Amino acid sequence: MVVAKLAELPGGQAVIDAVGNDESVWLVGGAVRDLMIGRTPTEIDLVVDGPLEPMLARLGGEAERFERFGTATVELGAVRVDLACARTEFYAQPGALPEVTAASLDQDLSRRDFTINAIAVRISDSVVKADPAALADLQSGTVRVLYERSFLDDPTRLWRCARYSTRLGFSVDPQTAALAAAATPGAVSGERIGNELFLTLREPRPTAVFLAIEGLNPGALPEGFCANPATLDEALVLLGNEGRSDLLTLAACCTGVELGLLTRWLGYLGFSAHDRDLVLVASRWVTGAPLRRAKSRAEIAAAARSAPLEAVALAGGTNAALWLDELRYVRLEISGDDLLEAGATPGPAIGEGLAHALALTLNGAVVGRDQQLDVALERAREAAR
């Protein structure tokens, strides 16, 4: 059944053809889990019980190798195929990257994060290997770690536990929940946690994942973080298909996080300067307060013009909607060159004249090029005196 469903995926038949009768290649992890419960996996994960080279050669395409972990990635059109040697791993200290050594497939399955991901199907003949609890947990809808030190070895599993339970609608095994609550979520590099955060923000319901994380281990989120902000749905509607809905979601959750703490947290997570600044600006009320106070269309434009779209959307209300839907597209039909040709004195007065004309245009007091030129020229001459 799983192999037949694999054939229906983009790139799936190409993988099956490349495997042929090779009994060393197994479909594993999330791909098996999703196919078994009728979901469509986003990636194809393979484990090779032996060297990767023969399978890589049959797949074709350019492979990206990661020798330290015994893995490789091949792009088959729009589909990514991840390959790994059967391996085991140990952690020199909690939160460290694992040390990897070659191992049997059974050992490979036993080192995985959750039982529902510890299932393998041999592509050549559909033989199934799995952790003893895996198939029952998949049927009952249970997220369960494979061993007691799982969250200690890799605290990022807290985030994956929350994502899987939310995405799949599964419950977390009580012992797993207790182990998650006892874990130290920050005992790992900030960059790895940042990667988990971005994966969470790409989920269909990221706030539901945040609620699940909060329930598992509140220390995984900074003080003041709101997992399910009331303003978010309206803001996402206002933003539409423009801007960064992921960063807007994060900003909405972080409005109650103290600015210094938020700045340090985003830096620790490895955010780029652009993404960090966008979240910081959008999560503060520096845009929202003046935008909500604005009475005229020109005042709305003045409050919103220099702000990111995400900050305006999060401010919400009719003024934000008016700016996003209409006012931000209003443009003058004249330029500084037109004022100079009409005799205005070069200098800052030109900009003041144009700003005055734009404000009057936004408010509907002037219409068209001629009126804009008249009022801009008059203001520029007054400012130059």
Side-chain angles (χ1 to χ4, degrees):
M1 178 185 73
V2 170
V3 176
K5 288 184 176 180
L6 173 64
E8 298 173 2
L9 300 178
Q13 188 60 53
V15 169
I16 295 171
D17 293 342
V19 171
N21 295 321
D22 187 344
E23 296 184 352
S24 72
V25 185
W26 299 74
L27 185 70
V28 296
V32 175
R33 178 199 69 218
D34 287 349
L35 290 173
M36 281 187 166
I37 60 176
R39 296 177 61 91
T40 301
T42 56
E43 297 171 358
I44 298 175
D45 299 310
L46 305 177
V47 161
V48 180
D49 200 359
L52 296 182
E53 284 70 20
M55 184 59 188
L56 287 172
R58 294 195 299 268
L59 273 176
E62 186 173 346
E64 184 177 5
R65 298 295 300 268
F66 306 93
E67 298 293 347
R68 175 180 176 179
F69 301 111
T71 63
T73 298
V74 176
E75 302 290 340
L76 290 182
V79 178
R80 190 175 84 173
V81 180
D82 291 327
L83 300 93
C85 297
R87 57 203 171 121
T88 190
E89 59 191 25
F90 72 93
Y91 296 81
Q93 60 188 28
L97 289 173
E99 299 294 330
V100 174
T101 57
S104 68
L105 179 66
D106 289 335
Q107 290 173 305
D108 186 284
L109 293 177
S110 69
R111 58 96 191 167
R112 291 178 177 267
D113 49 7
F114 304 101
T115 59
I116 57 174
N117 292 333
I119 309 172
V121 175
R122 191 158 60 196
I123 294 176
S124 63
D125 57 9
S126 296
V127 167
V128 176
K129 280 193 176 185
D131 175 87
L135 297 178
D137 283 347
L138 193 61
Q139 186 173 18
S140 65
T142 302
V143 178
R144 185 195 311 272
V145 291
L146 274 81
Y147 60 99
E148 286 195 357
R149 288 188 54 85
S150 183
F151 294 119
L152 294 176
D153 285 342
D154 186 356
T156 63
R157 288 171 176 163
L158 285 167
W159 291 80
R160 294 200 289 282
C161 183
R163 286 205 305 275
Y164 294 149
S165 62
T166 302
R167 184 195 311 160
L168 303 175
F170 284 13
S171 60
V172 178
D173 160 68
Q175 184 180 7
T176 297
L179 294 171
T184 304
V188 67
S189 74
E191 185 176 352
R192 290 179 63 196
I193 296 176
N195 182 60
E196 296 296 330
L197 174 60
F198 272 112
L199 290 173
T200 295
L201 291 169
R202 296 184 192 122
E203 288 287 313
R205 297 185 299 135
T207 55
V209 180
F210 288 141
L211 286 169
I213 292 172
E214 194 173 63
L216 288 169
N217 192 312
L221 299 169
E223 183 179 355
F225 189 97
C226 178
N228 190 24
T231 56
L232 179 57
D233 288 344
E234 179 195 355
L236 289 172
V237 170
L238 286 174
L239 187 65
N241 294 324
E242 294 188 73
R244 294 281 300 275
S245 60
D246 57 343
L247 297 182
L248 169 58
T249 298
L250 183 59
C253 294
C254 291
T255 56
V257 181
E258 188 271 326
L259 181 60
L261 173 60
L262 180 57
T263 303
R264 293 190 298 273
W265 186 57
L266 296 176
Y268 166 69
L269 297 181
F271 271 53
S272 68
H274 172 273
D275 289 358
R276 179 200 63 213
D277 291 347
L278 193 154
V279 173
L280 291 173
V281 170
S283 68
R284 304 302 99 176
W285 202 233
V286 291
T287 298
L291 183 57
R292 285 181 174 273
R293 287 197 304 265
K295 300 300 183 183
S296 70
R297 292 161 64 95
E299 289 175 350
I300 293 171
R305 184 176 293 116
S306 60
L309 296 180
E310 295 82 0
V312 176
L314 190 52
T318 55
N319 285 353
L322 185 59
W323 168 256
L324 292 168
D325 293 341
E326 178 186 343
L327 299 185
R328 64 183 169 127
Y329 300 111
V330 174
R331 298 288 186 272
L332 288 175
E333 297 179 37
I334 60 172
S335 67
D337 289 339
D338 294 316
L339 293 184
L340 291 172
E341 289 179 8
T345 303
I350 296 292
E352 188 170 335
L354 292 173
H356 179 64
L358 179 58
L360 292 176
T361 300
L362 285 164
N363 286 337
V366 300
V367 178
R369 174 185 171 82
D370 291 343
Q371 291 185 15
Q372 289 175 358
L373 185 59
D374 288 343
V375 297
L377 188 59
E378 180 180 358
R379 176 56 64 89
R381 286 171 173 165
E382 289 176 355
R385 289 174 187 159

